[in-house]
Amino acid sequence: MKKIEVGILGATGMVGQRFVSLLEDHPWFELTWLAASDKSAGKTYAEACNWRLRTAMPEKVQGMKVHECKPGKAPQLIFASLDSKVAGEVEKEFAHAGHVVVSNSSYFRMEPDVPLLIPEVNPEHVALLRAQRRERGWKGMIATNPNCTTVGLVMSLAPLQKEFGIEKVLMTSMQAVSGAGYPGVPTLDIMGNVIPYISHEEEKVESETQKLLGKLVDGRVEPASLAVSAHCNRVLVEDGHTESISVLLKASPSVKELIEVWRKYRSVPQERKLPSAPAHPIVVREEKDRPQAKFDVYTEHGMATVIGRVRACPVLQFKYTALSHNTIRGAAGAALLNAELMKAEGYLD
Ligand SMILES: NC(=O)c1ccc[n+]([C@@H]2O[C@H](COP(=O)([O-])OP(=O)(O)OC[C@H]3O[C@@H](n4cnc5c(N)ncnc54)[C@H](OP(=O)(O)O)[C@@H]3O)[C@@H](O)[C@H]2O)c1
């Protein structure tokens, strides 16, 4: 198969760097175009980017020129990880000009005609793209992935919703500093501290969860009716959002049944063998002190949600801990998997 050329908007940022790294040996996509802000445009990627990953900057991108975020010469398929202040306008301009934008930013996530996708959870929502194109008059289109905190929560909830139904969810997050981009949270604010506020995060987790678990009816998503309450905190962890979750289900399974449902869970990305799909989207650990970001965040190359400490909850019904890699499964890896789903479903032909 001839590889599809792709570009990155926001290539120099935390998520942009993950894209560059994950695209290095991608079997379907070939990275040929990079863009960032005016301060980076015109420089080589090596000059413009303060590379923060532990693996080396791929040789191929080092000498590539960084462009302005303007459509025209960019490839048709664009991964977007732009600063949220500019993401909406730039993504709209690219979609209007005929590009397929697979976005990380929150700007379009809750628009009724924009798919908010986790391919293991709601692959059928990709069908919103047809209506979007028709109704907006764009030659291109926009698909989105959820907030990095929503992903781990919803990956853990989706199998429970399918098997048992869910009434209520309470989630308290401990979110990594890389979730705030680079340079992110000042050292003096986060060192020896927990910050109990992340702007707009709780609202995003609550509304995105309902859209992701919603049903596609007559070409529109009917949000799921479960009640979701999120408490979001920033902690001094490099990568990986840890979440303490309590749920009230509509049925009364045992802890053992819950674990079995999670362990058995497979969906479209696994069936279609999409290149970025984890073989096991949910990994359940039995040790009493796992998952831990330090040891478990790269499970399945950072694409799995790792669950542990599953037990009864005296207030709701069950409680557990979930861990998900925020810049891989919560951002660049999520968008790659979305694009792979779109390719497999014929949206990139
Ligand atoms: N970090 C995460 O875990 C995570 C997870 C999910 C979603 N997201 C979302 O992904 C997006 C990127 O996040 P990040 O963490 O990678 O942020 P970041 O490290 O701050 O990177 C921001 C990127 O946007 C570019 N940029 C900034 N201002 C611009 C402008 N005026 N015009 C064009 N480009 C501009 C920057 O280019 P320069 O280097 O040239 O300034 C950089 O490439 C955000 O919308 C964020 O909400 C992040």
Side-chain angles (χ1 to χ4, degrees), residues 215-275:
K215 285 206 168 73
L216 194 64
V217 181
D218 298 330
R220 285 279 182 262
V221 176
E222 267 182 15
S225 60
L226 74 169
V228 186
S229 175
H231 302 256
C232 294
N233 305 285
R234 185 77 68 199
V235 298
L236 191 48
V237 165
E238 185 182 350
D239 289 315
H241 291 353
T242 303
E243 302 176 0
S244 296
I245 301 167
S246 285
V247 281
L248 175 63
L249 305 175
K250 291 182 177 164
S252 305
S254 62
V255 164
K256 195 163 164 256
E257 283 169 308
L258 231 61
I259 291 175
E260 265 171 32
V261 164
W262 276 320
R263 284 201 168 132
K264 276 203 318 240
Y265 195 68
R266 303 285 184 278
S267 185
V268 168
Q270 288 71 37
E271 286 154 18
R272 298 277 195 108
K273 298 195 177 0
L274 300 181

Side-chain angles (χ1 to χ4, degrees), residues 325-346:
H325 197 304
N326 52 295
T327 61
I328 300 181
R329 186 71 218 214
L336 268 179
L337 195 58
N338 282 353
E340 292 164 8
L341 175 74
M342 290 160 73
K343 168 72 186 143
E345 295 284 324

